[in-house]
Amino acid sequence: GSGKSSLLETLYCELDVDEADEAMVLDRDLLTIRRKEIPGLRREVGVIFQDFQLLGDRTIHHNLDFVLKATGWRIKERREQRIDEVLDMVGLANKKDNMPNELSGGEQQRVAIARAILNNPQLIIADEPTGNLDKDTADNIMQLLKSIAEKGTAVIMSTHNIGLVNKYPGKAFQCQDGKMEQVIIKPKV
């Protein structure tokens, strides 16, 4: 209810910017961006949804292939290679022929992360990526996101879990009463 998800949806142009002096994402001005420019922005932004949003009638392989086809990957061999690469990165190389409902919540979230990194995005936007997961699985997902960030991809994540923010510190902002303010997080030693 504080506006975290709406803020993230604004960053990938699912929602329009209502009021702002400036609104930039990856050198694109969200105040003046044209509809035909949004797909280009979205190819550079990977989005991880809290509820995974996997296509339930397709295997993991076909979920990922669908995204690659939709974002312009025409050569089947290159798509196959990229699917294998990202599934290996998220530790699910042996699950590509499974259906989403055959995976645990943590595995489904790993598929959502694989989907988000398919196009080597400059930015990953993660909306409560650990919200539906147990503590150990959430920690594994955070470790995965941390490793992606350490390789140079920026990660913006919303969470209500202050413990995660303390354990994995970075720049932290709090959304409250329609405003966003930076907060100082002191990592636990």
Side-chain angles (χ1 to χ4, degrees), residues 72-80:
W73 292 58
R74 300 288 170 235
I75 301 169
K76 182 177 180 171
E77 293 78 21
R78 291 182 66 203
R79 292 195 318 265
E80 296 295 324

Side-chain angles (χ1 to χ4, degrees), residues 17 24 35 53 55 67 96-97 103 111 113 118 122 155:
V17 177
M24 302 291 293
R35 288 286 156 212
Q53 294 194 8
L55 302 171
V67 172
K96 78 178 185 178
D97 294 322
L103 303 178
V111 173
I113 292 170
L118 278 170
Q122 295 180 50
V155 177

Side-chain angles (χ1 to χ4, degrees), residues 79-125:
R79 292 195 318 265
E80 296 295 324
Q81 179 183 3
R82 185 61 182 154
I83 290 168
D84 289 343
E85 288 171 1
V86 298
L87 286 176
D88 189 51
M89 283 182 215
V90 300
L92 292 176
N94 62 337
K95 301 283 187 175
K96 78 178 185 178
D97 294 322
N98 287 72
M99 300 297 283
N101 67 347
E102 297 173 329
L103 303 178
S104 69
E107 289 171 331
Q108 289 183 51
Q109 191 62 296
R110 285 179 176 273
V111 173
I113 292 170
R115 180 183 56 204
I117 62 176
L118 278 170
N119 286 308
N120 294 306
Q122 295 180 50
L123 171 65
I124 290 180
I125 296 172

Side-chain angles (χ1 to χ4, degrees), residues 85 88-90 117 120-122 143-155:
E85 288 171 1
D88 189 51
M89 283 182 215
V90 300
I117 62 176
N120 294 306
Q122 295 180 50
Q143 287 288 344
L144 179 57
L145 290 172
K146 181 181 176 190
S147 72
I148 290 168
E150 288 170 346
K151 292 176 185 167
T153 300
V155 177

